[in-house]
Amino acid sequence: MHTLATDIGHPSTHPVDVRVQPATGERNRLTTGFRMFLAIPHLLLVGAPLAAVFSWTWGPSDRLEWTGGGVLGAVAAVCALIAWFAILFTGRYPEGLRKLAVFFLQWRVRAVAYTALLRDEYPPFGDGPYPAELVIHVPDETVVPRDRVSVGFRIILAIPHLLAVWVLGIGWALATIIAWFAILVTGRYPDGLYGFAVGVMRWTTRVEAYLLLLHDEYPPFSLD
């Protein structure tokens, strides 16, 4: 994981943060115009913004589904389910499963930043340097025991945040559409919208990390 010297956001005490090097001026209008098509390979693998939202599917059998996370997101969801049982019974998150979940979330942050027009550089497939980065501090379970109660009720505890990021996601989508037109016409991403977009992505990523059981600290209701 990497931190960036110049980024959007403030020093965070939360174990999960998203840092983005600002890119509001001199944007690439050509790749912006075709951004959704260019991002398709990443969207298929790690999903679109708000990929961590769970939804109820009503039918012959009611079930809770992980939606929009791409192929790797579906794998990460299964890993989180296995880890849920492991933490409840042993107090430990299996290391291999944890690494995969972190890998997915790191890749997703880069892909979402590109898809949402926050950067013009094409993100790497997998790990690699990029000016939009996930910063995550994984707890040492030998020093800080996992909170099995919060793990057991994790989805219920996350409901207020899922509702919040769903509403914010609508605003983020509208801001991105406005930014898309602004970049095509002026070559700039409006400064005020940029900070909002990064803030929503940061909030959403913290909720995703919380749902993936990567830490037990409740996400703040904040864009910072």
Side-chain angles (χ1 to χ4, degrees):
M1 71 192 75
H2 306 278
T3 56
L4 302 170
T6 305
D7 54 51
I8 288 286
H10 306 287
S12 174
T13 57
H14 193 270
V16 179
D17 198 9
V18 171
R19 309 287 177 85
V20 181
Q21 287 184 342
T24 54
E26 300 181 2
R27 300 298 302 270
N28 188 322
R29 301 186 194 193
L30 181 60
T31 65
T32 295
F34 296 95
R35 185 60 52 93
M36 286 304 299
F37 297 101
L38 295 172
I40 286 175
H42 286 283
L43 297 179
L44 292 175
L45 292 169
V46 294
L50 300 181
V53 175
F54 285 86
S55 67
W56 284 103
T57 298
W58 301 100
S61 61
D62 301 335
R63 64 187 185 277
L64 191 62
E65 289 188 338
W66 176 281
T67 61
V71 174
L72 190 57
V75 174
V78 172
C79 291
L81 180 60
I82 297 172
W84 185 81
F85 285 102
I87 294 171
L88 290 184
F89 285 103
T90 71
R92 303 289 296 273
Y93 198 128
E95 188 60 27
L97 300 183
R98 187 209 305 271
K99 287 181 178 179
L100 191 148
V102 171
F103 174 76
F104 159 70
L105 208 53
Q106 289 174 329
W107 185 347
R108 224 184 83 69
V109 164
R110 294 188 285 265
V112 169
Y114 179 73
T115 304
L117 309 179
L118 298 176
R119 298 294 312 188
D120 288 334
E121 299 88 348
Y122 201 75
F125 285 89
D127 198 11
Y130 195 73
E133 196 72 28
L134 170 73
V135 179
I136 183 166
H137 300 283
V138 177
D140 183 349
E141 293 169 346
T142 63
V143 177
V144 182
R146 296 301 302 258
D147 186 340
R148 301 190 194 193
V149 174
S150 77
V151 169
F153 295 96
R154 185 59 49 97
I155 294 178
I156 296 174
L157 293 173
I159 287 175
H161 278 288
L162 292 176
L163 294 175
V165 297
W166 180 75
V167 174
L168 288 169
I170 296 173
W172 185 12
L174 293 175
T176 301
I177 293 171
I178 294 171
W180 187 79
F181 283 105
I183 293 171
L184 293 183
V185 174
T186 70
R188 293 187 59 85
Y189 191 123
D191 292 332
L193 295 181
Y194 197 90
F196 170 76
V198 173
V200 176
M201 185 168 73
R202 178 179 295 114
W203 189 335
T204 303
T205 302
R206 285 173 174 162
V207 175
E208 291 174 338
Y210 186 68
L211 285 170
L212 289 171
L213 310 178
L214 293 174
H215 64 88
D216 294 333
E217 186 170 336
Y218 200 69
F221 287 87
S222 171
L223 300 177
D224 293 328

